[in-house]
């Protein structure tokens, strides 16, 4: 079972690496797409999520390999980080991207994905970025047990990540004069802030959904002694956040 899960994680990791390398290049030479390039590709939550998923499945794959080699049930720090990354970010953000995109698309696609993009980005890329991400995250819930941190820790990490992205959106608007998504152009400042707040509430609800599904499938998993998940959470994510910022700086 461990080997099969490891192979699965490797295949999904390969898929996300392919998407991260290929999708940003789609339509890059198209004149009609030039307006989307201001601020870099990584201004889009969709593409940031693809990067996040690649990081998570890379960690999961490494965790699997080390467990097989060492014959251990858990690799103390790595397993804790894997669980933290999936429960607080990878699952809720991928589910948010899936839900928010298709909800707005069905309501009025011009608010999120104008028709002009149909002739630039192939349909498979759209579904790879906005559809397949959800079943892959859902499959992870049922294939691998993940220990959830306290809700205070989970909500805090999710909130800090959301706030960082909102700051990035506002900064890009101040620099380029354009909003990342067309829907923001339709909103007044007050309504926009309300939208951001409701988005966080919705994300927190998705976090709870993942928690409930995990507990239903695997029961309430306790953090092993000596693996202080709450203590490592902020230090680990801060380190990864700094690495991510330094990697994305050239794209700003």
């Amino acid at each position: 079972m461990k080997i099969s899960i490891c192979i699965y994680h490797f295949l999904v990791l390969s898929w996300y690496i392919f998407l991260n390398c290929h999708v940003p290049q789609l339509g890059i030479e198209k004149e009609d797409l030039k307006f989307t390039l201001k601020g870099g590709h990584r201004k889009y939550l969709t593409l940031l999520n693809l990067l996040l998923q690649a990081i998570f499945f890379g960690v999961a794959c490494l965790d699997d390999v080390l467990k097989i080699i060492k014959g251990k049930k858990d690799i103390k720090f790595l397993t804790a980080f894997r669980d933290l990354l999936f429960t607080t970010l990878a699952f809720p953000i991928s589910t948010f991207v899936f839900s928010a995109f298709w909800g707005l698309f069905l309501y009025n696609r011009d608010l999120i994905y104008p028709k002009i993009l149909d002739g630039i980005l192939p349909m498979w890329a759209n579904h790879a970025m906005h559809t397949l991400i959800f079943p892959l995250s859902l499959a992870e819930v049922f294939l691998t047990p993940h220990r959830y941190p306290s809700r205070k820790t989970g909500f805090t990490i999710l909130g800090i990540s959301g706030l960082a992205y909102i700051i990035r959106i506002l900064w890009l608007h101040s620099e380029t004069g354009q909003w990342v998504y067309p829907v923001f152009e339709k909103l007044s400042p007050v309504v926009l802030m309300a939208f951001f707040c409701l988005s966080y509430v919705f994300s927190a609800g998705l976090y709870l959904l993942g928690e409930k599904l995990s507990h239903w499938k695997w029961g309430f998993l306790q953090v092993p002694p000596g693996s202080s998940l709450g203590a490592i959470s902020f230090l680990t994510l801060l380190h990864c956040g700094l690495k991510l910022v330094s990697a994305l700086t050239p794209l700003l």
Side-chain angles (χ1 to χ4, degrees):
M1 185 63 178
K2 286 184 179 181
I3 295 178
S4 61
I5 293 297
C6 182
I7 293 174
Y8 168 75
H9 283 156
F10 176 76
L11 292 176
V12 178
L13 170 63
S14 301
W15 169 246
Y16 277 119
I17 290 176
F18 165 74
L19 291 180
N20 276 281
C21 294
H22 185 66
V23 169
Q25 303 304 316
L26 292 175
I28 198 170
E29 301 298 331
K30 301 275 188 176
E31 190 67 29
D32 291 338
L33 199 60
K34 295 253 173 128
F35 74 95
T36 67
L37 300 180
K38 292 184 178 180
H41 289 288
R42 299 295 178 185
K43 65 184 178 180
Y44 297 108
L45 184 59
T46 295
L47 295 184
L48 287 174
N49 177 62
L50 293 181
L51 180 60
L52 172 63
Q53 299 304 317
I55 293 172
F56 164 71
F57 280 101
V59 172
C61 191
L62 178 60
D63 183 67
D64 292 336
V65 170
L66 291 179
K67 285 178 181 176
I68 293 172
I69 293 175
K70 295 186 176 183
K72 293 183 178 180
K73 185 177 181 181
D74 289 311
I75 306 298
K76 190 176 179 181
F77 175 83
L78 191 61
T79 302
F81 177 52
R82 179 206 67 179
D83 291 346
L84 184 72
L85 191 59
F86 179 75
T87 57
T88 62
L89 294 178
F91 179 81
I93 291 179
S94 64
T95 308
F96 177 86
V97 170
F98 168 81
S99 304
F101 175 84
W102 288 113
L104 287 171
F105 186 94
L106 293 175
Y107 174 72
N108 182 356
R109 64 170 298 171
D110 289 332
L111 296 177
I112 192 73
Y113 195 81
K115 290 183 180 180
I116 190 175
L117 295 178
D118 287 342
I120 299 172
L121 301 177
M123 184 179 296
W124 72 263
N126 183 22
H127 286 293
M129 294 186 292
H130 301 117
T131 307
L132 189 58
I133 55 174
F134 176 63
L136 288 176
S137 288
L138 194 61
E140 179 65 19
V141 173
F142 292 102
L143 289 175
T144 308
H146 295 281
R147 298 177 178 87
Y148 269 74
S150 68
R151 289 182 178 177
K152 179 180 179 181
T153 299
F155 290 154
T156 299
I157 293 174
L158 190 60
I160 290 175
S161 302
L163 181 61
Y165 184 63
I166 290 172
I167 292 174
R168 179 172 169 76
I169 287 176
L170 297 177
W171 181 81
L172 286 172
H173 179 259
S174 70
E175 290 291 313
T176 66
Q178 293 182 345
W179 287 108
V180 174
Y181 297 105
V183 63
F184 295 154
E185 298 176 0
K186 310 292 184 181
L187 307 178
S188 67
V190 174
V191 176
L192 182 61
M193 290 302 106
F195 177 85
F196 288 147
C197 292
L198 289 175
S199 295
Y200 172 72
V201 172
F202 182 54
S203 298
L206 295 176
Y207 171 87
L208 293 176
L209 172 64
E211 182 185 68
K212 294 296 183 183
L213 291 174
S214 180
H215 290 168
W216 174 73
K217 171 64 178 178
W218 305 103
F220 290 84
L221 301 176
Q222 294 183 347
V223 179
S227 179
S228 182
L229 195 57
I232 68 171
S233 59
F234 289 105
L235 292 177
T236 304
L237 287 183
L238 178 60
H239 174 73
C240 292
L242 292 174
K243 290 289 187 181
L244 183 59
V245 169
S246 63
L248 298 181
T249 297
L251 299 175
L252 296 177

